[in-house]
Amino acid sequence: MWIDEQTRSQLHLEEILADFEPLTPYGKKERKNLKPFLPGEEERWLWMLNEQEKLQSVGRTFSEEFHKLERICKQFPDITSILELLSQSRTPALTDWFHLKRFLWLIQEWMELLSKHERLTSFLLSKEEIEIVNRLLWRLNPSPSLQPSFAVEDAYDERLKNARKRLRQLEVQKQKEREESIQQLESKYNIRPNRLGEWVIDRKAPVHRELEGESQITLIRETMYEKVYELSRPNLEQAQEDELKQQIEERVQLILQQLAHQFMPHLSEIQQIVEKLTHFDLLWARVRLATTWNGVKPEWDVDHFVLDQGVHPVVERYLHQKELSFTPIDLHIYQGVSVIIGPNMGGKTVAIKTVGMITALAQLGFFVPATRCRMPLFPWIATVIGDDQQVEKGLSSFGAEVIRLGTWLEKKKQQGLLLLDEIGRGTNPIEGASLSFAITDYLSRSQIWTLHVTHYQELMSLKHIQVFRVAGLPEEVYLYPIEKDPKAWISLLHQRMDYRLVPVKEQDQFPEQAISIAKMLGLHADIVKQAQQLVKSKRGEE
């Protein structure tokens, strides 16, 4: 599995993809089945990104024409079930042929707009496909003037034409005779039919008895208060009408069967055209979504993961609602373990979520929210983040964390991307630090790319790992007074915190800002003072 549901949820991937909106029914179906590009598919991945780049460039320059393309795409009917019927040698219904013709008509309009741009030639149909579309469109249009709608016209068949002509003549004659009969009845009995062509006669009316023997009308229903009549229809006349309708229906079905036989040899070409339309629709939907975060085309790099000014759109949107800003992330790592250290509320978890989200988006074929992104394709992406209580399994957060981590450690020979947040924090500090150290050391000797957020300074003694720290709060900030409103605390802390990730040099000390942050947030002065003394005491012991 490339990415499991827990990872998707923790990276907020579904919230981001909720705004991924293809326009055609085919694109909307495929949206639910987006597949990642995996190792070995780099060439296809880069090709698709380049195609997207062409669309993006032309779309920006010719926005009005692309709005027209969008309107066309929204009108495409879904002909999937129709093609399935034809593949089974079955004849589609009349309405199906209307949709099929509508599809071919819109394909021509779509092609006409795309063909105006030389950079979009890769999206165009081949000459053979264009000829097939044109030929089939005319099969559904026997009259000289091409129309977008479909009907089984008289031009399809002479016998159909004659049968319809006779039926129309019969209906005209029938209507004439009906009007004459109504006039005769009105003249004779002074009665007129209602809008349904029925005579509703009160049983107490004098004419009630007279109508019982009238041959021009037939009693169709009655109650204890009234009787309802309609014009009588001669059996011979009805038989002629039924026979003509039967003939017409048979000729229509024969014509539809002939059309089906004419379309069946071209099913594979029609399906290819649907696939090309779907490909365009999905790419253009990707472009539109990436435009919302000013996305950049990711590049392939088998040895490094480079991210400049990376942003998490969901977190950024949340902060914007709070009138706060997102600090873009810069990160350059290589295969192995990279550790991020820093104070509480320093944005470390957001950093690894941003890396995971951008990686997932890139492998799903999207431009990513950054100014630069170079990366390999990973066979899997996984997170072990936060409190994952599994009460139904009788597990604590620590137990759930260990079980989940163990699942991904079994893939140590695969170059997957593993994002860890505070491994070992769910148990006592000494054992937690030891476990975190051992896990990090183990991962540093595996094939996995690991990004590990931690508070345990013991990890800094490990060799062959990269270490980054959150720049944190400048020293002078701690001298500022802070309001007692919790919302004001968070806002001020966010404003003063430097969330940038800074590479740690060998001589750098492990950051200790938790007590200072607690002081800023209003913790009682006596508690802060005692905590500071204990830290100094422990340093002396060390």
Side-chain angles (χ1 to χ4, degrees):
M1 180 185 294
W2 174 65
I3 189 169
D4 65 4
E5 287 303 317
Q6 185 170 327
T7 301
R8 294 178 77 95
S9 174
Q10 290 177 333
L11 298 181
H12 306 284
L13 193 55
E14 293 306 323
E15 292 174 66
I16 294 172
L17 293 179
D19 294 324
F20 175 52
E21 298 179 326
L23 303 173
T24 71
Y26 316 103
K28 290 175 181 177
K29 288 180 184 177
E30 288 299 314
R31 178 201 178 283
K32 302 174 184 176
N33 304 304
L34 282 183
K35 295 180 180 179
F37 291 89
L38 299 174
E41 299 179 315
E42 287 82 4
E43 186 175 345
R44 194 167 65 88
W45 179 57
L46 294 173
W47 173 82
M48 198 202 74
L49 291 171
N50 288 334
E51 291 291 280
Q52 204 172 144
E53 190 173 41
K54 292 178 189 177
L55 271 181
Q56 183 187 63
S57 175
V58 177
R60 285 174 177 171
T61 308
F62 301 95
S63 58
E64 186 175 339
E65 289 189 6
F66 268 70
H67 286 319
K68 292 179 182 177
L69 275 172
E70 290 177 8
R71 288 196 292 271
I72 291 172
C73 287
K74 290 177 182 178
Q75 296 177 55
F76 273 103
D78 188 354
I79 62 170
T80 306
S81 60
I82 304 172
L83 298 181
E84 181 65 23
L85 284 174
L86 290 168
S87 70
Q88 298 170 1
S89 300
R90 296 166 62 189
T91 303
L94 191 62
T95 54
D96 292 334
W97 290 105
F98 172 84
H99 292 310
L100 194 50
K101 186 176 183 183
R102 182 67 176 159
F103 174 84
L104 296 172
W105 179 275
L106 290 169
I107 283 291
Q108 282 199 335
E109 291 188 348
W110 176 63
M111 284 295 298
E112 183 181 349
L113 282 172
L114 284 182
S115 62
K116 294 179 180 180
H117 307 286
E118 293 183 1
R119 296 195 65 190
L120 303 182
T121 53
S122 58
F123 296 101
L124 299 179
L125 304 186
S126 66
K127 290 182 179 179
E128 294 76 13
E129 289 169 335
I130 293 172
E131 289 175 2
I132 289 171
V133 169
N134 189 55
R135 191 185 319 141
L136 294 179
L137 197 51
W138 279 106
R139 296 277 192 207
L140 300 176
N141 199 103
S143 59
S145 176
L146 194 60
Q147 301 293 331
S149 60
F150 174 77
V152 181
E153 301 175 18
D154 292 349
Y156 272 113
D157 183 82
E158 192 67 24
R159 292 174 62 181
L160 174 65
K161 178 180 178 180
N162 292 334
R164 283 175 170 169
K165 181 179 179 180
R166 291 198 301 273
L167 180 60
R168 286 193 296 271
Q169 291 173 342
L170 184 62
E171 289 173 342
V172 169
Q173 179 63 29
K174 183 175 68 174
Q175 182 61 26
K176 181 180 178 181
E177 292 175 355
R178 174 183 175 80
E179 291 173 356
E180 291 175 352
S181 296
I182 290 173
Q183 289 177 0
Q184 290 173 8
L185 289 168
E186 182 178 5
S187 175
K188 185 175 181 179
Y189 300 109
N190 195 28
I191 57 174
R192 289 190 60 80
N194 59 20
R195 60 184 180 84
L196 300 177
E198 299 173 344
W199 285 269
V200 180
I201 306 300
D202 192 320
R203 285 179 177 273
K204 297 180 180 180
V207 74
H208 162 62
R209 296 292 181 187
E210 299 177 41
L211 293 176
E212 290 182 349
E214 178 57 60
S215 60
Q216 292 191 85
I217 57 175
T218 301
L219 179 66
I220 56 173
R221 62 182 180 276
E222 61 181 312
T223 67
M224 60 186 297
Y225 302 108
E226 59 191 19
K227 290 186 175 183
V228 182
Y229 297 87
E230 69 176 5
L231 281 176
S232 301
R233 305 182 68 182
N235 292 335
L236 178 60
E237 179 184 285
Q238 185 61 47
Q240 288 177 333
E241 184 178 337
D242 292 343
E243 182 181 356
L244 285 171
K245 287 182 178 179
Q246 181 65 27
Q247 288 178 18
I248 291 169
E249 179 60 28
E250 290 174 356
R251 298 311 297 176
V252 167
Q253 287 304 311
L254 180 60
I255 291 167
L256 296 183
Q257 289 171 11
Q258 291 171 346
L259 287 173
H261 286 298
Q262 291 168 354
F263 270 71
M264 285 176 191
H266 302 294
L267 287 181
S268 61
E269 289 92 342
I270 297 173
Q271 188 58 51
Q272 288 174 9
I273 293 169
V274 170
E275 290 171 3
K276 286 187 176 181
L277 174 63
T278 306
H279 172 66
F280 172 86
D281 186 26
L282 291 173
L283 281 189
W284 183 236
R286 283 181 168 94
V287 170
R288 296 198 311 277
L289 179 57
T291 299
T292 64
W293 56 62
N294 197 26
V296 67
K297 181 177 73 172
E299 303 171 49
W300 180 54
D301 189 325
V302 70
D303 297 318
H304 302 85
F305 185 103
V306 179
L307 184 64
D308 290 344
Q309 298 291 289
V311 173
H312 197 302
V314 173
V315 178
E316 184 181 44
R317 187 163 55 238
Y318 170 79
L319 291 174
H320 181 73
Q321 292 170 354
K322 302 290 184 181
E323 297 183 348
L324 301 172
S325 60
F326 186 100
T327 301
I329 294 167
D330 295 333
L331 191 66
H332 181 175
I333 61 175
Y334 46 77
Q335 187 178 358
V337 177
S338 300
V339 172
I340 300 177
I341 58 178
N344 286 320
M345 302 179 71
K348 303 183 300 299
T349 302
V350 171
I352 62 172
K353 285 186 175 186
T354 301
V355 169
M357 177 276 303
I358 285 178
T359 303
L361 282 179
Q363 290 195 226
L364 288 171
F366 289 88
F367 283 21
V368 298
T371 58
R372 182 168 72 133
C373 176
R374 295 181 61 86
M375 54 173 277
L377 295 181
F378 296 100
W380 52 266
I381 303 170
T383 57
V384 182
I385 294 177
D387 184 13
D388 182 28
Q389 296 280 2
Q390 297 188 33
V391 177
E392 70 277 7
K393 293 184 179 180
L395 298 173
S396 64
S397 59
F398 174 71
E401 181 181 83
V402 170
I403 289 176
R404 179 164 174 78
L405 177 61
T407 301
W408 300 108
L409 291 181
E410 292 176 2
K411 301 175 183 287
K412 63 180 180 180
K413 294 183 179 180
Q414 299 178 8
Q415 296 184 24
L417 177 62
L418 183 59
L419 306 169
L420 306 180
D421 186 20
E422 303 287 0
I423 289 297
R425 67 178 170 184
T427 186
N428 72 73
I430 295 176
E431 288 186 301
S434 300
L435 276 171
S436 184
F437 183 96
I439 290 168
T440 304
D441 184 44
Y442 179 87
L443 285 167
S444 71
R445 290 178 276 109
S446 76
Q447 296 294 307
I448 299 172
W449 294 61
T450 304
L451 196 55
H452 185 187
V453 166
T454 186
H455 277 99
Y456 296 123
Q457 59 182 314
E458 289 84 351
L459 271 63
M460 292 185 69
S461 65
L462 279 169
K463 305 297 182 182
H464 311 300
I465 67 170
Q466 285 181 285
V467 182
F468 298 85
R469 67 177 177 85
V470 176
L473 293 165
E475 290 296 329
E476 65 270 14
V477 167
Y478 307 137
L479 304 176
Y480 283 74
I482 190 167
E483 300 178 42
K484 293 187 176 182
D485 178 4
K487 292 182 180 179
W489 294 348
I490 295 172
S491 177
L492 188 58
L493 182 63
H494 180 83
Q495 292 170 18
R496 295 175 179 176
M497 178 72 73
D498 186 347
Y499 292 100
R500 291 178 301 115
L501 299 180
V502 180
V504 173
K505 299 177 182 178
E506 192 171 341
Q507 67 273 18
D508 289 349
Q509 293 184 345
F510 194 88
E512 296 177 349
Q513 296 183 324
I515 296 175
S516 299
I517 291 174
K519 180 180 180 181
M520 282 185 63
L521 295 179
L523 192 63
H524 196 281
D526 290 346
I527 298 174
V528 171
K529 183 178 180 180
Q530 184 179 9
Q532 289 172 334
Q533 290 172 346
L534 287 170
V535 169
K536 290 178 181 179
S537 174
K538 289 181 180 293
R539 283 176 181 166
E541 292 174 1
E542 295 171 356

